[in-house]
Amino acid sequence: MKKRIGLPLALSVLSLISPTARPAQADVLPEPRPAPFQGRLGLTPADSQPAAIQGVSAGKDTPNILLIMTDDVGFGASSVFGGPVETPAFEALAANGVRYNQFHTTALCSPTRAALLTGRNHHSAHTGLVVDVRSGYPGYNALIDRDTATIAEVLKQNGYATAWFGKNHNVPLNESSAAGPFDRWPNNMGFEYFYGFLAGATNQYSPIVFENTRPVEPAVGLSDYHFNDDLRDRAVSWLRDQKTIAPDKPVFMYYAPGATHAPHHVPDEWTRPYKGRFDQGWDVLRREIYERQKKLGVIPPTAALAPMSPGIPAWESLPENKRKLHSRMMEVYAGYLTQTDQAIGELIAAFRELGLAENTIIIYIQGDNGASAEARMGTVNEIVGLINGLPEDFEPSEEMLQAMGGPAYLSNYAAGWATALCSPFQWSKEIASHYGGTRNGMVISWPARFAAQNGGLRSQWHHVVDIHPTLLEAAGLTAPTMVNGVAQKPLEGISLLYSLDNPDAPDRHTEQYFEILGNLAYYRDGWVAATAPRLAPWREPLSKLGLSPAEWEWELYHVAEDFSQSKNLAAENPLKLKEMQMLFWAEAGRRNVLPVNDNVAAATGAPQGQERTVIRFHQGFRRLPEGAAPVLRNRSYNIKAEVEIKDGPGAEGMIFTLGGQFGGLALFMERGRPVFVYNYLALNRLELQGKEALAAGKHLIELDFEYDGGGKGRGGTYDLRVDSRSVARGRLEKTVPRGFSMGDTLDVGLDTGTPIEMGRYELPFEFNSRIDGVSVTLK
C-alpha cells in the first residue's frame, strides 16, 4: 500500500523547488528570463500567492529625452553662434540651457549619425563614409552590427518609449526597399516607431517616406505640403499619444529633419524676410559673422578669422547677374533654416504644453557636419554635379530666381556661402581635417537638473560619440556589456554632464581621431595635426591625388591658443607633428579606419542597383530605390509590358517609371497612346509617342534601348514597339552616367515621388487598365 504524502510535507517540498529571488544583471539586456518568481506556490490557489505581473519600467523621475540634429548647418550659420540666420527656437533653448562652442561631428552625415546613435566612432560602427558608398573593409561596409547597440535599444529595454522622426542615412541602398531586410531599419535598432526617409536627402515637397517599414505618400493631393510641417505634426501626435496612454513612461525622441541639406526647399513666405540681406556677398558676410561671434563671446576674443578656403572666387569678381543669383540662393537657404527651427520650436512647445519641460533633457545639435560646399558655384539640380559629376552651366532668369525654393528646382548654394557659414574656421562639410567640417554648435537644456546654468557657455572639447554616454548617465544607466545575446564593444565616448555641473571643469575628452575620404586629423590635449585637403568638396583637385599617405602634406595647430586653426606650426614644431601622426595611425589601426582612401570616384555615391538579367514586376509594385533597382545606365536593355486595355481611347496612366522630374525615364499611356520619355537630368528630353490609340484588348508594349558603348554616359537609340511593331524611334547623344535622382524610385502601374515632367499629369497617375507584368531584361 502506497503512503500518501501529507500536506505539510508537500508544502515543504514545494518551498525547496520554488525559485528564489536573485539580483537582476543590469549589464545584460534584456534581463535573463524567466525572472525569479516573487510569489508563493501552494497546492491550491487558496494557499498560494501570485506575483505581480510587471513589465520593464524606468525609475521614478527618469527624464524624457529629445535629441535633435539638423543637417548641413555650419557653426556660424545660426543666430545663437553669431550667424545671419534667425533661429528663435535655438535661441530660446540656449537662454534656458547652455551653449557648447567646441562640439564636433565627423564632417559627413552617415558617419556622424552612426557615431551619435551607437556611441562608437564611425569606423567602429562600420560607417566610414555615406552608406551609398560601400566597400568590403570592416570600417566601410555600412553594416552597423549588433555589437554596437544604439542608445534607443538600451533605453527601450530600460522602460523608455522610443521614436525616430526624419532622416535615416544609415541603411544600405540594397536594404532600403519595402522588401528589406530590415535588420538596420529603425524598428530593429531600438526605435518602436519611425516616420521618415532612408536617404541622404529628400524632396521636401514630394518626400519618399516610410512609416515604420511601410511606404507612404503623405504629399499626394496636398498643394501646400512641406515635409518639415508633416514631420513636426507626426512627432507631436506621437508624443501626445504616448503621454495620454502612459503618462509616467519616459520618452526618447530622435528628431532629425532633412533640413537644411539640399535641395533647399521652402515656401517664399520664409525667404521674403531675408530679401537683400546677403547682397554684400560671402567675403563681407564671413567677417560680419566673425565680428558677431566675438561680440557674443562664442569664440575667444583672441580668435583669428582663418584664411578663406582656396578655390572660392572673390564676390566682387562675379558679374552682376551671378551675384543676384547667389544672393537669392542664400536667401532661400536662410528661410529654410528659419522654417526648420520654427518647426523644432513648435515640437519643443508640445513638450511644454504637456507639462514635460522641467524634466526633459533636450540636446539640439545644429548640423551633422559643416555647411555644404559641394556645389562650387551653386546648382539648380544637384543630381547633375553631385551625383553624376557633370558640369552645370545655366543663365539665371528672373523667373528662375522667383521660383527658387519651390518644387521646380533642386538647388544648393555656392561654396562661398558655405565657407562663410563655417566662420571662423577653414573649410566645410567632408573636410574632416579642419574644424569648418567638424565644428557644430550645440545647446543642452535640462531645467530639472541644471536650471542654474541657463544662458551659459561651455568650452570643453567634445565629440558626437559623447552623446550616447551622456544620455545613459542622464537616465541613470550604465552601458550594458551584453545586448540581445551579443557582447558589446565598449563605448568610445565620454559623458559630458560633468561640464553642465561645472563650467570650469577640465576637459575629459582629450583625444580624438578624424577621417573622411583621406582627410585626416588627430586631436590631443589642445593640439591638432591635420592633413592638407587634396580634393575640394566640389571635386576640384587641390594637389596631386593618389599619393601614398607618406607623401601627404600635414599641418599642425595649437588649438588651445589658436581657436580657429589659423596658424600652421608644422614647420616650427616637426617633432610634435610626428608624435601626433603616429598617434593617428595607431588609433586608425584600433578603430577600423584602415585602409585610408582618398579615391575621388568613391565620393560621388552612385546608386549600385540590381544586376539580375531578367526581372519581372507586377502592377502596383512601388517605391523600389534606384540603388536596388535594375541598372538602366551605361548598357542596353529591354522593357516589355503585357497590358490589357479596357477602353482603348481612354487608356491612361503609368506603366513603368524610374526616377522623376530631375532625371529618369517613364513608359505610360496618354489619351490611349503609348508614350516614352527619357529625362536627361532636366537638361534634355527624348519623347517617343505612338500615333494611334490602342484598341481594347491585350497588347505587348515594348521599349528597346541599344547603347553605343565605349564608356559611361554615352548615347544610344530607343525603339518604342507595340505588338512587335515599331511605332517610334529616337536617339540620345548622352545618357545619365551614374544616377537619375536622389529619392525617386521604380514604380509599376503608378508614379510616386515626382512626375517625369512637372505638370504633365497628377500623381499617382495610376494605370486605369490591367498590367499582367512588366519584364526588364538587361543586356
Side-chain angles (χ1 to χ4, degrees), residues 504-582:
D504 300 317
D507 290 359
R508 295 185 184 179
H509 194 133
T510 57
E511 293 189 61
Q512 179 65 45
Y513 83 90
F514 295 88
E515 191 281 332
I516 294 289
L517 282 171
N519 293 302
L520 320 178
Y522 198 80
Y523 168 83
R524 185 185 193 191
D525 293 330
W527 287 87
V528 171
T531 55
R534 296 175 300 286
L535 180 70
W538 53 88
R539 306 293 172 258
E540 178 183 337
L542 302 170
S543 61
K544 189 174 181 180
L545 299 171
L547 299 175
S548 70
E551 298 174 281
W552 294 351
E553 179 187 350
W554 284 73
E555 301 167 354
L556 180 69
Y557 300 96
H558 191 198
V559 292
E561 299 178 358
D562 177 17
F563 183 84
S564 57
Q565 292 179 310
S566 66
K567 187 178 180 181
N568 179 10
L569 303 176
E572 299 173 28
N573 204 334
L575 292 181
K576 185 66 177 180
L577 176 60
K578 187 68 173 178
E579 172 197 341
M580 299 288 283
Q581 289 171 321
M582 293 178 69

Side-chain angles (χ1 to χ4, degrees), residues 236-276:
V236 170
S237 178
W238 179 86
L239 178 66
R240 288 172 175 164
D241 287 350
Q242 294 299 314
K243 290 302 179 178
T244 297
I245 299 166
D248 296 327
K249 186 175 185 177
V251 300
F252 169 54
M253 181 187 293
Y254 174 39
Y255 191 83
T260 58
H261 195 296
H264 297 163
H265 278 163
V266 65
D268 194 50
E269 66 192 83
W270 294 95
T271 68
R272 280 196 296 269
Y274 290 102
K275 184 172 179 58

Side-chain angles (χ1 to χ4, degrees), residues 738-756:
R738 293 178 181 162
F740 288 117
S741 76
M742 65 168 55
D744 281 296
T745 55
L746 185 153
D747 305 297
V748 175
L750 75 166
D751 192 1
T752 64
T754 61
I756 198 69

Side-chain angles (χ1 to χ4, degrees), residues 691-713:
K691 295 179 181 179
E692 299 176 357
L694 300 189
K698 292 193 173 186
H699 296 277
L700 179 66
I701 302 174
E702 187 175 356
L703 181 75
D704 194 74
F705 177 59
E706 287 296 328
Y707 186 57
D708 291 345
K712 292 184 176 181

Side-chain angles (χ1 to χ4, degrees), residues 310-608:
I312 307 293
W315 180 260
E316 292 302 324
S317 71
L318 303 176
E320 184 179 352
N321 67 331
K322 292 294 187 181
R323 292 200 300 267
K324 192 173 182 181
L325 166 70
H326 294 308
S327 294
R328 174 59 178 162
M329 285 183 159
M330 183 60 208
E331 292 167 9
V332 170
Y333 175 83
Y336 190 23
L337 179 54
T338 297
Q339 183 221 29
T340 303
D341 180 79
Q342 171 79 12
I344 290 170
E346 289 165 355
L347 173 60
I348 293 172
F351 277 82
R352 187 167 55 249
E353 290 161 6
L354 291 169
L356 307 175
E358 185 72 12
N359 197 27
T360 295
I361 179 170
I362 302 176
I363 300 180
Y364 186 164
I365 305 170
Q366 196 69 271
D368 54 351
N369 40 243
S372 168
E374 291 152 310
R376 180 174 180 264
M377 295 308 296
T379 178
V380 293
N381 180 4
E382 68 170 359
I383 308 301
V384 176
L386 182 64
I387 301 298
N388 288 284
L390 299 172
E392 186 180 8
D393 188 22
F394 57 91
E395 283 298 320
S397 64
E398 195 60 37
E399 181 184 15
M400 174 186 287
L401 297 181
Q402 291 300 319
M404 200 79 67
Y409 297 107
L410 296 181
S411 63
N412 192 5
Y413 56 20
W417 295 126
T419 305
L421 296 183
C422 292
S423 296
F425 308 109
Q426 300 179 60
W427 292 108
S428 54
K429 176 182 178 181
E430 292 188 12
I431 308 300
S433 52
H434 290 72
Y435 282 163
T438 61
R439 181 70 59 86
N440 288 90
M442 179 175 71
V443 169
I444 299 181
S445 172
W446 189 5
R449 181 167 170 184
F450 300 108
Q453 304 295 344
N454 290 350
L457 179 71
R458 298 294 182 273
S459 293
Q460 287 86 354
W461 201 101
H462 277 286
H463 187 269
V464 69
V465 292
D466 298 331
I467 299 301
H468 182 130
T470 298
L471 296 180
L472 286 182
E473 184 182 356
L477 302 171
T478 57
T481 59
M482 184 84 69
V483 177
N484 298 329
V486 179
Q488 296 295 292
K489 288 182 180 178
L491 293 181
E492 295 171 9
I494 296 166
S495 172
L496 52 73
L497 287 190
Y498 75 93
S499 63
L500 286 169
D501 285 317
N502 181 4
D504 300 317
D507 290 359
R508 295 185 184 179
H509 194 133
T510 57
E511 293 189 61
Q512 179 65 45
Y513 83 90
F514 295 88
E515 191 281 332
I516 294 289
L517 282 171
N519 293 302
L520 320 178
Y522 198 80
Y523 168 83
R524 185 185 193 191
D525 293 330
W527 287 87
V528 171
T531 55
R534 296 175 300 286
L535 180 70
W538 53 88
R539 306 293 172 258
E540 178 183 337
L542 302 170
S543 61
K544 189 174 181 180
L545 299 171
L547 299 175
S548 70
E551 298 174 281
W552 294 351
E553 179 187 350
W554 284 73
E555 301 167 354
L556 180 69
Y557 300 96
H558 191 198
V559 292
E561 299 178 358
D562 177 17
F563 183 84
S564 57
Q565 292 179 310
S566 66
K567 187 178 180 181
N568 179 10
L569 303 176
E572 299 173 28
N573 204 334
L575 292 181
K576 185 66 177 180
L577 176 60
K578 187 68 173 178
E579 172 197 341
M580 299 288 283
Q581 289 171 321
M582 293 178 69
L583 288 169
F584 172 85
W585 292 114
E587 190 73 352
R590 284 192 290 267
R591 306 296 185 199
N592 285 343
V593 180
L594 304 177
V596 172
N597 183 10
D598 66 349
N599 183 359
V600 182
T604 55
Q608 291 105 5

